Amino acid sequence: MLAALAVAGDSLQLDSGLPAATVNILTGLILVAVLGWTGRRTR
Amino acid sequence: MSLVVDVLAGAVRGGTSVMYAGLGETVSERAGVINLGTEGCMLVGALGGFAAAYESGNPWVGVLAGAASGGLLALVHAVLCVSRRANQFASGLNVLFLGLGLTSLFGTDYVGKQINALNPVPIPLLSQIPVLGPVLFTQDPLTSLSFATWQPLRVMAGAYLFGAALALSPELQAGGVGINQFALDVLPFVLTLLVLAFLGRRTLLSLPGLARPAADPPSGRGAGRVDYLTHFADCQAAGGGNRFGVPSSVPGLGGCGRRCAEIGTSAARSGPERGARGTGGVNGAVAAVQRVGRRARR
């Protein structure tokens, strides 16, 4: 998933002309959502 | 002689920031949570601190803002790992990505700007000692604070080694020594990794699974130690150990929970082979974190 996000981010950056930092932030936010969504509750 | 003093003073000055981050990571790992995103937290803390100090003109406001912003990003990791039980490595890398992205995007406004640094506070009498005075006792308050009550000797040694290699580069350039710039840039990392590899080799050979088995049955004075070493081996085989040899107190890591955490706490008090020697206040902080974790799981 990390590799897919990196490749998609690179494509997005090249196509839309976004700065690399934006792709990093988007990758991080998507991973936060995925990790938080798939995780279990402690209580 | 001046070169040696400058490099040593630069080592203490430059290594202090690494030391505080390493100290926090040590407490975190000994409590069973690995944070691979420490560098991201350092970056966000540096940006938050610099921005606050620049806007307010007060370096102490920057210190508070830096600690708060770095801690805020670490809170994301804490919520994901402790509350949601997410994979700690994935969450740590995620924090690193976030830190890199946030600082690259919002830090461009502050490139080339200057702030007021913390002024060095010479300690009376001690700062007059040759060599040691300018190296240890003529530093800013945060550096002096690191000598105060904590005794994380190994963390300090690693941080100062990194800082010394960092400080050596401008001194060599000022002295006209012709060394490749790339070599100077990678020197701190290569040097620290070599030392870590050398020390890690000794630690690896002392792991319970690789060490020579005990000839005597577990009885008498050393029985408890044999028991918990065996227990550590079981936990690590189950994926519950971290690199300090402390089994995980977080069920998501595969550790065995409360009993293991209690053994880890007692071992932190008495186990010099685990690297607990000289880490005084760290053990108390680890025990407190483990108590809070156990209480939260009940």
Side-chain angles (χ1 to χ4, degrees), chain A residues 2 19-22 24-25 27-29 31-32 35-43, chain B residues 76 80 82-86 90-91 94 97-98 100-102 104-105 295-296 298:
Chain A
L2 196 60
T22 314
N24 275 339
I25 294 174
T27 306
L29 290 178
L31 279 176
V32 165
L35 289 173
W37 185 262
T38 56
R40 293 173 295 165
R41 287 182 186 275
T42 53
R43 293 187 176 203
Chain B
V76 174
L80 286 176
V82 177
S83 177
R84 304 297 302 177
R85 297 188 186 182
S91 176
N94 177 39
F97 286 138
L98 271 178
L100 283 172
L102 288 172
S104 299
L105 190 63
R295 199 171 299 141
R298 281 174 190 163

PDB file of all heavy atoms in Angstrom, chain A residues 2 19-22 24-25 27-29 31-32 35-43, chain B residues 76 80 82-86 90-91 94 97-98 100-102 104-105 295-296 298:
ATOM      1  N   LEU A   2       1.966   1.164   0.743  1.00  0.00           N
ATOM      2  CA  LEU A   2       2.887   2.312   0.778  1.00  0.00           C
ATOM      3  C   LEU A   2       3.449   2.569  -0.614  1.00  0.00           C
ATOM      4  O   LEU A   2       3.540   3.719  -1.072  1.00  0.00           O
ATOM      5  CB  LEU A   2       4.011   2.018   1.774  1.00  0.00           C
ATOM      6  CG  LEU A   2       4.850   3.187   2.231  1.00  0.00           C
ATOM      7  CD1 LEU A   2       3.982   4.224   2.922  1.00  0.00           C
ATOM      8  CD2 LEU A   2       5.943   2.702   3.160  1.00  0.00           C
ATOM      9  N   PRO A  19       3.678  20.441  -5.352  1.00  0.00           N
ATOM     10  CA  PRO A  19       4.989  20.275  -4.720  1.00  0.00           C
ATOM     11  C   PRO A  19       5.089  18.904  -4.045  1.00  0.00           C
ATOM     12  O   PRO A  19       4.079  18.306  -3.659  1.00  0.00           O
ATOM     13  CB  PRO A  19       5.039  21.403  -3.680  1.00  0.00           C
ATOM     14  CG  PRO A  19       3.647  21.825  -3.478  1.00  0.00           C
ATOM     15  CD  PRO A  19       2.901  21.522  -4.737  1.00  0.00           C
ATOM     16  N   ALA A  20       6.318  18.431  -3.900  1.00  0.00           N
ATOM     17  CA  ALA A  20       6.530  17.100  -3.328  1.00  0.00           C
ATOM     18  C   ALA A  20       6.004  17.022  -1.899  1.00  0.00           C
ATOM     19  O   ALA A  20       5.572  15.958  -1.436  1.00  0.00           O
ATOM     20  CB  ALA A  20       8.013  16.760  -3.359  1.00  0.00           C
ATOM     21  N   ALA A  21       6.044  18.160  -1.185  1.00  0.00           N
ATOM     22  CA  ALA A  21       5.586  18.157   0.204  1.00  0.00           C
ATOM     23  C   ALA A  21       4.100  17.815   0.295  1.00  0.00           C
ATOM     24  O   ALA A  21       3.666  17.118   1.215  1.00  0.00           O
ATOM     25  CB  ALA A  21       5.845  19.523   0.841  1.00  0.00           C
ATOM     26  N   THR A  22       3.331  18.298  -0.675  1.00  0.00           N
ATOM     27  CA  THR A  22       1.901  18.019  -0.657  1.00  0.00           C
ATOM     28  C   THR A  22       1.634  16.515  -0.782  1.00  0.00           C
ATOM     29  O   THR A  22       0.751  15.966  -0.117  1.00  0.00           O
ATOM     30  CB  THR A  22       1.206  18.744  -1.826  1.00  0.00           C
ATOM     31  OG1 THR A  22       1.689  20.075  -1.870  1.00  0.00           O
ATOM     32  CG2 THR A  22      -0.286  18.760  -1.654  1.00  0.00           C
ATOM     33  N   ASN A  24       3.657  14.160   0.165  1.00  0.00           N
ATOM     34  CA  ASN A  24       4.018  13.546   1.447  1.00  0.00           C
ATOM     35  C   ASN A  24       2.886  13.682   2.460  1.00  0.00           C
ATOM     36  O   ASN A  24       2.559  12.743   3.187  1.00  0.00           O
ATOM     37  CB  ASN A  24       5.275  14.209   2.016  1.00  0.00           C
ATOM     38  CG  ASN A  24       6.526  13.592   1.460  1.00  0.00           C
ATOM     39  OD1 ASN A  24       6.511  12.471   0.973  1.00  0.00           O
ATOM     40  ND2 ASN A  24       7.615  14.329   1.509  1.00  0.00           N
ATOM     41  N   ILE A  25       2.301  14.882   2.507  1.00  0.00           N
ATOM     42  CA  ILE A  25       1.224  15.117   3.475  1.00  0.00           C
ATOM     43  C   ILE A  25       0.015  14.260   3.127  1.00  0.00           C
ATOM     44  O   ILE A  25      -0.611  13.650   4.004  1.00  0.00           O
ATOM     45  CB  ILE A  25       0.852  16.610   3.516  1.00  0.00           C
ATOM     46  CG1 ILE A  25       2.019  17.422   4.060  1.00  0.00           C
ATOM     47  CG2 ILE A  25      -0.379  16.842   4.377  1.00  0.00           C
ATOM     48  CD1 ILE A  25       1.812  18.903   4.000  1.00  0.00           C
ATOM     49  N   THR A  27      -0.011  11.447   1.501  1.00  0.00           N
ATOM     50  CA  THR A  27       0.319  10.058   1.841  1.00  0.00           C
ATOM     51  C   THR A  27       0.145   9.815   3.336  1.00  0.00           C
ATOM     52  O   THR A  27      -0.430   8.813   3.764  1.00  0.00           O
ATOM     53  CB  THR A  27       1.775   9.759   1.431  1.00  0.00           C
ATOM     54  OG1 THR A  27       1.953  10.082   0.064  1.00  0.00           O
ATOM     55  CG2 THR A  27       2.110   8.307   1.670  1.00  0.00           C
ATOM     56  N   GLY A  28       0.662  10.761   4.134  1.00  0.00           N
ATOM     57  CA  GLY A  28       0.553  10.612   5.584  1.00  0.00           C
ATOM     58  C   GLY A  28      -0.889  10.610   6.054  1.00  0.00           C
ATOM     59  O   GLY A  28      -1.275   9.784   6.892  1.00  0.00           O
ATOM     60  N   LEU A  29      -1.699  11.516   5.506  1.00  0.00           N
ATOM     61  CA  LEU A  29      -3.097  11.595   5.951  1.00  0.00           C
ATOM     62  C   LEU A  29      -3.880  10.337   5.560  1.00  0.00           C
ATOM     63  O   LEU A  29      -4.696   9.829   6.341  1.00  0.00           O
ATOM     64  CB  LEU A  29      -3.763  12.837   5.355  1.00  0.00           C
ATOM     65  CG  LEU A  29      -3.268  14.165   5.925  1.00  0.00           C
ATOM     66  CD1 LEU A  29      -3.941  15.340   5.236  1.00  0.00           C
ATOM     67  CD2 LEU A  29      -3.502  14.240   7.430  1.00  0.00           C
ATOM     68  N   LEU A  31      -2.609   7.363   5.158  1.00  0.00           N
ATOM     69  CA  LEU A  31      -2.157   6.270   6.017  1.00  0.00           C
ATOM     70  C   LEU A  31      -2.739   6.391   7.427  1.00  0.00           C
ATOM     71  O   LEU A  31      -3.074   5.383   8.057  1.00  0.00           O
ATOM     72  CB  LEU A  31      -0.633   6.251   6.081  1.00  0.00           C
ATOM     73  CG  LEU A  31       0.058   5.577   4.897  1.00  0.00           C
ATOM     74  CD1 LEU A  31       1.562   5.703   5.015  1.00  0.00           C
ATOM     75  CD2 LEU A  31      -0.323   4.108   4.845  1.00  0.00           C
ATOM     76  N   VAL A  32      -2.860   7.627   7.923  1.00  0.00           N
ATOM     77  CA  VAL A  32      -3.495   7.821   9.237  1.00  0.00           C
ATOM     78  C   VAL A  32      -4.923   7.301   9.210  1.00  0.00           C
ATOM     79  O   VAL A  32      -5.371   6.579  10.119  1.00  0.00           O
ATOM     80  CB  VAL A  32      -3.474   9.312   9.636  1.00  0.00           C
ATOM     81  CG1 VAL A  32      -4.426   9.566  10.790  1.00  0.00           C
ATOM     82  CG2 VAL A  32      -2.082   9.745  10.047  1.00  0.00           C
ATOM     83  N   LEU A  35      -4.824   3.382   8.906  1.00  0.00           N
ATOM     84  CA  LEU A  35      -4.387   2.728  10.145  1.00  0.00           C
ATOM     85  C   LEU A  35      -5.420   2.912  11.247  1.00  0.00           C
ATOM     86  O   LEU A  35      -5.672   2.007  12.042  1.00  0.00           O
ATOM     87  CB  LEU A  35      -3.032   3.291  10.592  1.00  0.00           C
ATOM     88  CG  LEU A  35      -1.838   2.886   9.733  1.00  0.00           C
ATOM     89  CD1 LEU A  35      -0.591   3.635  10.173  1.00  0.00           C
ATOM     90  CD2 LEU A  35      -1.588   1.399   9.833  1.00  0.00           C
ATOM     91  N   GLY A  36      -6.005   4.103  11.315  1.00  0.00           N
ATOM     92  CA  GLY A  36      -7.021   4.335  12.341  1.00  0.00           C
ATOM     93  C   GLY A  36      -8.304   3.577  12.063  1.00  0.00           C
ATOM     94  O   GLY A  36      -8.974   3.112  12.984  1.00  0.00           O
ATOM     95  N   TRP A  37      -8.617   3.415  10.790  1.00  0.00           N
ATOM     96  CA  TRP A  37      -9.879   2.742  10.432  1.00  0.00           C
ATOM     97  C   TRP A  37      -9.782   1.241  10.648  1.00  0.00           C
ATOM     98  O   TRP A  37     -10.702   0.607  11.130  1.00  0.00           O
ATOM     99  CB  TRP A  37     -10.214   3.039   8.966  1.00  0.00           C
ATOM    100  CG  TRP A  37     -11.537   2.506   8.531  1.00  0.00           C
ATOM    101  CD1 TRP A  37     -11.777   1.339   7.863  1.00  0.00           C
ATOM    102  CD2 TRP A  37     -12.812   3.104   8.751  1.00  0.00           C
ATOM    103  NE1 TRP A  37     -13.117   1.182   7.651  1.00  0.00           N
ATOM    104  CE2 TRP A  37     -13.779   2.248   8.177  1.00  0.00           C
ATOM    105  CE3 TRP A  37     -13.233   4.294   9.362  1.00  0.00           C
ATOM    106  CZ2 TRP A  37     -15.137   2.536   8.218  1.00  0.00           C
ATOM    107  CZ3 TRP A  37     -14.586   4.575   9.395  1.00  0.00           C
ATOM    108  CH2 TRP A  37     -15.519   3.710   8.831  1.00  0.00           C
ATOM    109  N   THR A  38      -8.630   0.677  10.259  1.00  0.00           N
ATOM    110  CA  THR A  38      -8.498  -0.785  10.348  1.00  0.00           C
ATOM    111  C   THR A  38      -8.084  -1.257  11.722  1.00  0.00           C
ATOM    112  O   THR A  38      -8.127  -2.449  11.996  1.00  0.00           O
ATOM    113  CB  THR A  38      -7.471  -1.297   9.332  1.00  0.00           C
ATOM    114  OG1 THR A  38      -6.239  -0.620   9.570  1.00  0.00           O
ATOM    115  CG2 THR A  38      -7.932  -1.042   7.921  1.00  0.00           C
ATOM    116  N   GLY A  39      -7.658  -0.334  12.590  1.00  0.00           N
ATOM    117  CA  GLY A  39      -7.233  -0.742  13.922  1.00  0.00           C
ATOM    118  C   GLY A  39      -8.408  -1.145  14.791  1.00  0.00           C
ATOM    119  O   GLY A  39      -9.580  -0.918  14.459  1.00  0.00           O
ATOM    120  N   ARG A  40      -8.081  -1.774  15.918  1.00  0.00           N
ATOM    121  CA  ARG A  40      -9.126  -2.202  16.838  1.00  0.00           C
ATOM    122  C   ARG A  40      -9.223  -1.191  17.977  1.00  0.00           C
ATOM    123  O   ARG A  40      -8.241  -0.552  18.341  1.00  0.00           O
ATOM    124  CB  ARG A  40      -8.789  -3.567  17.415  1.00  0.00           C
ATOM    125  CG  ARG A  40      -8.824  -4.666  16.400  1.00  0.00           C
ATOM    126  CD  ARG A  40      -8.327  -5.930  17.020  1.00  0.00           C
ATOM    127  NE  ARG A  40      -6.924  -5.805  17.384  1.00  0.00           N
ATOM    128  CZ  ARG A  40      -6.289  -6.637  18.189  1.00  0.00           C
ATOM    129  NH1 ARG A  40      -6.929  -7.626  18.740  1.00  0.00           N
ATOM    130  NH2 ARG A  40      -5.020  -6.477  18.470  1.00  0.00           N
ATOM    131  N   ARG A  41     -10.396  -1.113  18.555  1.00  0.00           N
ATOM    132  CA  ARG A  41     -10.565  -0.287  19.747  1.00  0.00           C
ATOM    133  C   ARG A  41     -10.028  -1.042  20.955  1.00  0.00           C
ATOM    134  O   ARG A  41     -10.138  -2.253  21.030  1.00  0.00           O
ATOM    135  CB  ARG A  41     -12.030   0.037  19.975  1.00  0.00           C
ATOM    136  CG  ARG A  41     -12.589   1.036  18.994  1.00  0.00           C
ATOM    137  CD  ARG A  41     -14.030   1.310  19.355  1.00  0.00           C
ATOM    138  NE  ARG A  41     -14.664   2.163  18.376  1.00  0.00           N
ATOM    139  CZ  ARG A  41     -14.601   3.481  18.389  1.00  0.00           C
ATOM    140  NH1 ARG A  41     -13.918   4.074  19.336  1.00  0.00           N
ATOM    141  NH2 ARG A  41     -15.207   4.202  17.476  1.00  0.00           N
ATOM    142  N   THR A  42      -9.437  -0.308  21.915  1.00  0.00           N
ATOM    143  CA  THR A  42      -8.951  -0.966  23.123  1.00  0.00           C
ATOM    144  C   THR A  42     -10.096  -1.272  24.069  1.00  0.00           C
ATOM    145  O   THR A  42      -9.985  -2.114  24.931  1.00  0.00           O
ATOM    146  CB  THR A  42      -7.930  -0.091  23.840  1.00  0.00           C
ATOM    147  OG1 THR A  42      -8.506   1.194  24.042  1.00  0.00           O
ATOM    148  CG2 THR A  42      -6.679   0.017  23.018  1.00  0.00           C
ATOM    149  N   ARG A  43     -11.166  -0.527  23.966  1.00  0.00           N
ATOM    150  CA  ARG A  43     -12.318  -0.766  24.844  1.00  0.00           C
ATOM    151  C   ARG A  43     -13.547  -0.989  24.011  1.00  0.00           C
ATOM    152  O   ARG A  43     -13.685  -0.367  23.001  1.00  0.00           O
ATOM    153  CB  ARG A  43     -12.542   0.411  25.761  1.00  0.00           C
ATOM    154  CG  ARG A  43     -11.413   0.552  26.742  1.00  0.00           C
ATOM    155  CD  ARG A  43     -11.733   1.611  27.748  1.00  0.00           C
ATOM    156  NE  ARG A  43     -10.675   1.650  28.740  1.00  0.00           N
ATOM    157  CZ  ARG A  43     -10.838   2.124  29.966  1.00  0.00           C
ATOM    158  NH1 ARG A  43     -12.004   2.573  30.340  1.00  0.00           N
ATOM    159  NH2 ARG A  43      -9.855   2.146  30.824  1.00  0.00           N
TER     160      ARG A  43
ATOM    161  N   VAL B  76      -0.242  11.699  17.442  1.00  0.00           N
ATOM    162  CA  VAL B  76      -0.876  10.938  16.361  1.00  0.00           C
ATOM    163  C   VAL B  76      -0.414   9.486  16.415  1.00  0.00           C
ATOM    164  O   VAL B  76      -1.210   8.541  16.328  1.00  0.00           O
ATOM    165  CB  VAL B  76      -0.525  11.574  14.989  1.00  0.00           C
ATOM    166  CG1 VAL B  76      -1.056  10.731  13.852  1.00  0.00           C
ATOM    167  CG2 VAL B  76      -1.073  12.981  14.902  1.00  0.00           C
ATOM    168  N   LEU B  80      -2.724   6.163  17.318  1.00  0.00           N
ATOM    169  CA  LEU B  80      -2.816   5.039  16.381  1.00  0.00           C
ATOM    170  C   LEU B  80      -2.345   3.737  17.021  1.00  0.00           C
ATOM    171  O   LEU B  80      -2.956   2.688  16.837  1.00  0.00           O
ATOM    172  CB  LEU B  80      -1.980   5.338  15.133  1.00  0.00           C
ATOM    173  CG  LEU B  80      -2.552   6.357  14.159  1.00  0.00           C
ATOM    174  CD1 LEU B  80      -1.578   6.611  13.026  1.00  0.00           C
ATOM    175  CD2 LEU B  80      -3.877   5.874  13.612  1.00  0.00           C
ATOM    176  N   VAL B  82      -1.649   2.995  20.504  1.00  0.00           N
ATOM    177  CA  VAL B  82      -2.179   2.583  21.800  1.00  0.00           C
ATOM    178  C   VAL B  82      -3.692   2.436  21.750  1.00  0.00           C
ATOM    179  O   VAL B  82      -4.251   1.439  22.198  1.00  0.00           O
ATOM    180  CB  VAL B  82      -1.769   3.598  22.892  1.00  0.00           C
ATOM    181  CG1 VAL B  82      -2.381   3.209  24.225  1.00  0.00           C
ATOM    182  CG2 VAL B  82      -0.264   3.662  23.003  1.00  0.00           C
ATOM    183  N   SER B  83      -4.368   3.415  21.158  1.00  0.00           N
ATOM    184  CA  SER B  83      -5.823   3.382  21.159  1.00  0.00           C
ATOM    185  C   SER B  83      -6.360   2.485  20.042  1.00  0.00           C
ATOM    186  O   SER B  83      -7.273   1.695  20.261  1.00  0.00           O
ATOM    187  CB  SER B  83      -6.357   4.809  21.005  1.00  0.00           C
ATOM    188  OG  SER B  83      -7.751   4.790  20.939  1.00  0.00           O
ATOM    189  N   ARG B  84      -5.774   2.608  18.846  1.00  0.00           N
ATOM    190  CA  ARG B  84      -6.267   1.823  17.715  1.00  0.00           C
ATOM    191  C   ARG B  84      -5.468   0.558  17.477  1.00  0.00           C
ATOM    192  O   ARG B  84      -5.803  -0.227  16.591  1.00  0.00           O
ATOM    193  CB  ARG B  84      -6.248   2.683  16.441  1.00  0.00           C
ATOM    194  CG  ARG B  84      -7.012   3.973  16.542  1.00  0.00           C
ATOM    195  CD  ARG B  84      -8.470   3.764  16.777  1.00  0.00           C
ATOM    196  NE  ARG B  84      -9.089   2.957  15.735  1.00  0.00           N
ATOM    197  CZ  ARG B  84     -10.351   2.586  15.727  1.00  0.00           C
ATOM    198  NH1 ARG B  84     -11.132   2.929  16.728  1.00  0.00           N
ATOM    199  NH2 ARG B  84     -10.843   1.865  14.751  1.00  0.00           N
ATOM    200  N   ARG B  85      -4.374   0.392  18.187  1.00  0.00           N
ATOM    201  CA  ARG B  85      -3.521  -0.795  18.059  1.00  0.00           C
ATOM    202  C   ARG B  85      -3.053  -1.026  16.623  1.00  0.00           C
ATOM    203  O   ARG B  85      -3.055  -2.153  16.124  1.00  0.00           O
ATOM    204  CB  ARG B  85      -4.232  -2.031  18.577  1.00  0.00           C
ATOM    205  CG  ARG B  85      -4.555  -1.942  20.049  1.00  0.00           C
ATOM    206  CD  ARG B  85      -5.074  -3.239  20.549  1.00  0.00           C
ATOM    207  NE  ARG B  85      -5.510  -3.118  21.930  1.00  0.00           N
ATOM    208  CZ  ARG B  85      -5.970  -4.130  22.633  1.00  0.00           C
ATOM    209  NH1 ARG B  85      -6.047  -5.312  22.112  1.00  0.00           N
ATOM    210  NH2 ARG B  85      -6.349  -3.952  23.872  1.00  0.00           N
ATOM    211  N   ALA B  86      -2.681   0.043  15.969  1.00  0.00           N
ATOM    212  CA  ALA B  86      -2.164  -0.079  14.609  1.00  0.00           C
ATOM    213  C   ALA B  86      -0.730  -0.585  14.649  1.00  0.00           C
ATOM    214  O   ALA B  86      -0.087  -0.604  15.707  1.00  0.00           O
ATOM    215  CB  ALA B  86      -2.234   1.268  13.903  1.00  0.00           C
ATOM    216  N   ALA B  90       4.465   0.900  10.728  1.00  0.00           N
ATOM    217  CA  ALA B  90       3.739   1.667   9.705  1.00  0.00           C
ATOM    218  C   ALA B  90       3.357   3.041  10.231  1.00  0.00           C
ATOM    219  O   ALA B  90       3.491   4.050   9.537  1.00  0.00           O
ATOM    220  CB  ALA B  90       2.491   0.903   9.271  1.00  0.00           C
ATOM    221  N   SER B  91       2.902   3.079  11.474  1.00  0.00           N
ATOM    222  CA  SER B  91       2.514   4.366  12.056  1.00  0.00           C
ATOM    223  C   SER B  91       3.722   5.293  12.215  1.00  0.00           C
ATOM    224  O   SER B  91       3.628   6.495  11.960  1.00  0.00           O
ATOM    225  CB  SER B  91       1.846   4.127  13.411  1.00  0.00           C
ATOM    226  OG  SER B  91       1.544   5.339  14.016  1.00  0.00           O
ATOM    227  N   ASN B  94       4.635   6.664   8.918  1.00  0.00           N
ATOM    228  CA  ASN B  94       3.620   7.631   8.543  1.00  0.00           C
ATOM    229  C   ASN B  94       3.886   8.989   9.199  1.00  0.00           C
ATOM    230  O   ASN B  94       3.780  10.044   8.575  1.00  0.00           O
ATOM    231  CB  ASN B  94       2.261   7.072   8.959  1.00  0.00           C
ATOM    232  CG  ASN B  94       1.153   8.021   8.695  1.00  0.00           C
ATOM    233  OD1 ASN B  94       1.161   8.688   7.681  1.00  0.00           O
ATOM    234  ND2 ASN B  94       0.206   8.099   9.596  1.00  0.00           N
ATOM    235  N   PHE B  97       6.645  10.660   7.326  1.00  0.00           N
ATOM    236  CA  PHE B  97       6.179  11.282   6.083  1.00  0.00           C
ATOM    237  C   PHE B  97       5.469  12.596   6.367  1.00  0.00           C
ATOM    238  O   PHE B  97       5.670  13.602   5.686  1.00  0.00           O
ATOM    239  CB  PHE B  97       5.227  10.344   5.338  1.00  0.00           C
ATOM    240  CG  PHE B  97       5.922   9.207   4.669  1.00  0.00           C
ATOM    241  CD1 PHE B  97       5.387   7.933   4.705  1.00  0.00           C
ATOM    242  CD2 PHE B  97       7.105   9.403   4.006  1.00  0.00           C
ATOM    243  CE1 PHE B  97       6.033   6.875   4.093  1.00  0.00           C
ATOM    244  CE2 PHE B  97       7.765   8.352   3.384  1.00  0.00           C
ATOM    245  CZ  PHE B  97       7.216   7.089   3.434  1.00  0.00           C
ATOM    246  N   LEU B  98       4.604  12.559   7.386  1.00  0.00           N
ATOM    247  CA  LEU B  98       3.863  13.776   7.722  1.00  0.00           C
ATOM    248  C   LEU B  98       4.816  14.902   8.132  1.00  0.00           C
ATOM    249  O   LEU B  98       4.654  16.056   7.724  1.00  0.00           O
ATOM    250  CB  LEU B  98       2.886  13.489   8.865  1.00  0.00           C
ATOM    251  CG  LEU B  98       1.502  12.999   8.479  1.00  0.00           C
ATOM    252  CD1 LEU B  98       0.680  12.726   9.732  1.00  0.00           C
ATOM    253  CD2 LEU B  98       0.792  14.022   7.613  1.00  0.00           C
ATOM    254  N   LEU B 100       8.007  15.277   7.335  1.00  0.00           N
ATOM    255  CA  LEU B 100       8.756  15.759   6.163  1.00  0.00           C
ATOM    256  C   LEU B 100       7.885  16.674   5.312  1.00  0.00           C
ATOM    257  O   LEU B 100       8.327  17.746   4.871  1.00  0.00           O
ATOM    258  CB  LEU B 100       9.220  14.568   5.329  1.00  0.00           C
ATOM    259  CG  LEU B 100      10.419  13.779   5.840  1.00  0.00           C
ATOM    260  CD1 LEU B 100      10.622  12.533   5.000  1.00  0.00           C
ATOM    261  CD2 LEU B 100      11.660  14.632   5.810  1.00  0.00           C
ATOM    262  N   GLY B 101       6.643  16.247   5.064  1.00  0.00           N
ATOM    263  CA  GLY B 101       5.765  17.041   4.200  1.00  0.00           C
ATOM    264  C   GLY B 101       5.387  18.368   4.821  1.00  0.00           C
ATOM    265  O   GLY B 101       5.463  19.418   4.166  1.00  0.00           O
ATOM    266  N   LEU B 102       4.991  18.344   6.089  1.00  0.00           N
ATOM    267  CA  LEU B 102       4.553  19.579   6.746  1.00  0.00           C
ATOM    268  C   LEU B 102       5.677  20.606   6.808  1.00  0.00           C
ATOM    269  O   LEU B 102       5.481  21.794   6.535  1.00  0.00           O
ATOM    270  CB  LEU B 102       4.054  19.261   8.159  1.00  0.00           C
ATOM    271  CG  LEU B 102       2.712  18.526   8.252  1.00  0.00           C
ATOM    272  CD1 LEU B 102       2.429  18.106   9.676  1.00  0.00           C
ATOM    273  CD2 LEU B 102       1.591  19.423   7.743  1.00  0.00           C
ATOM    274  N   SER B 104       8.384  20.726   4.896  1.00  0.00           N
ATOM    275  CA  SER B 104       8.777  21.186   3.558  1.00  0.00           C
ATOM    276  C   SER B 104       7.798  22.223   3.023  1.00  0.00           C
ATOM    277  O   SER B 104       8.182  23.177   2.347  1.00  0.00           O
ATOM    278  CB  SER B 104       8.826  20.001   2.582  1.00  0.00           C
ATOM    279  OG  SER B 104       9.763  19.070   2.998  1.00  0.00           O
ATOM    280  N   LEU B 105       6.501  22.037   3.345  1.00  0.00           N
ATOM    281  CA  LEU B 105       5.483  22.945   2.808  1.00  0.00           C
ATOM    282  C   LEU B 105       5.451  24.282   3.557  1.00  0.00           C
ATOM    283  O   LEU B 105       5.442  25.351   2.947  1.00  0.00           O
ATOM    284  CB  LEU B 105       4.111  22.269   2.894  1.00  0.00           C
ATOM    285  CG  LEU B 105       2.973  22.980   2.163  1.00  0.00           C
ATOM    286  CD1 LEU B 105       3.261  23.011   0.674  1.00  0.00           C
ATOM    287  CD2 LEU B 105       1.656  22.275   2.421  1.00  0.00           C
ATOM    288  N   ARG B 295      -3.179   0.346  33.533  1.00  0.00           N
ATOM    289  CA  ARG B 295      -4.437   0.867  34.054  1.00  0.00           C
ATOM    290  C   ARG B 295      -5.423   1.119  32.912  1.00  0.00           C
ATOM    291  O   ARG B 295      -6.611   0.892  33.033  1.00  0.00           O
ATOM    292  CB  ARG B 295      -4.160   2.170  34.804  1.00  0.00           C
ATOM    293  CG  ARG B 295      -5.269   2.562  35.769  1.00  0.00           C
ATOM    294  CD  ARG B 295      -4.831   3.724  36.616  1.00  0.00           C
ATOM    295  NE  ARG B 295      -3.662   3.441  37.425  1.00  0.00           N
ATOM    296  CZ  ARG B 295      -2.686   4.308  37.650  1.00  0.00           C
ATOM    297  NH1 ARG B 295      -2.732   5.487  37.126  1.00  0.00           N
ATOM    298  NH2 ARG B 295      -1.657   3.983  38.398  1.00  0.00           N
ATOM    299  N   ALA B 296      -4.893   1.587  31.768  1.00  0.00           N
ATOM    300  CA  ALA B 296      -5.780   1.886  30.631  1.00  0.00           C
ATOM    301  C   ALA B 296      -6.377   0.617  30.047  1.00  0.00           C
ATOM    302  O   ALA B 296      -7.478   0.627  29.526  1.00  0.00           O
ATOM    303  CB  ALA B 296      -4.996   2.634  29.554  1.00  0.00           C
ATOM    304  N   ARG B 298      -7.202  -2.085  31.739  1.00  0.00           N
ATOM    305  CA  ARG B 298      -8.159  -2.773  32.627  1.00  0.00           C
ATOM    306  C   ARG B 298      -9.573  -2.331  32.329  1.00  0.00           C
ATOM    307  O   ARG B 298      -9.826  -1.265  31.905  1.00  0.00           O
ATOM    308  CB  ARG B 298      -7.811  -2.471  34.074  1.00  0.00           C
ATOM    309  CG  ARG B 298      -6.641  -3.324  34.554  1.00  0.00           C
ATOM    310  CD  ARG B 298      -6.247  -2.893  35.945  1.00  0.00           C
ATOM    311  NE  ARG B 298      -4.987  -3.535  36.323  1.00  0.00           N
ATOM    312  CZ  ARG B 298      -4.234  -3.114  37.321  1.00  0.00           C
ATOM    313  NH1 ARG B 298      -4.579  -2.060  38.026  1.00  0.00           N
ATOM    314  NH2 ARG B 298      -3.136  -3.759  37.619  1.00  0.00           N
TER     315      ARG B 298
END
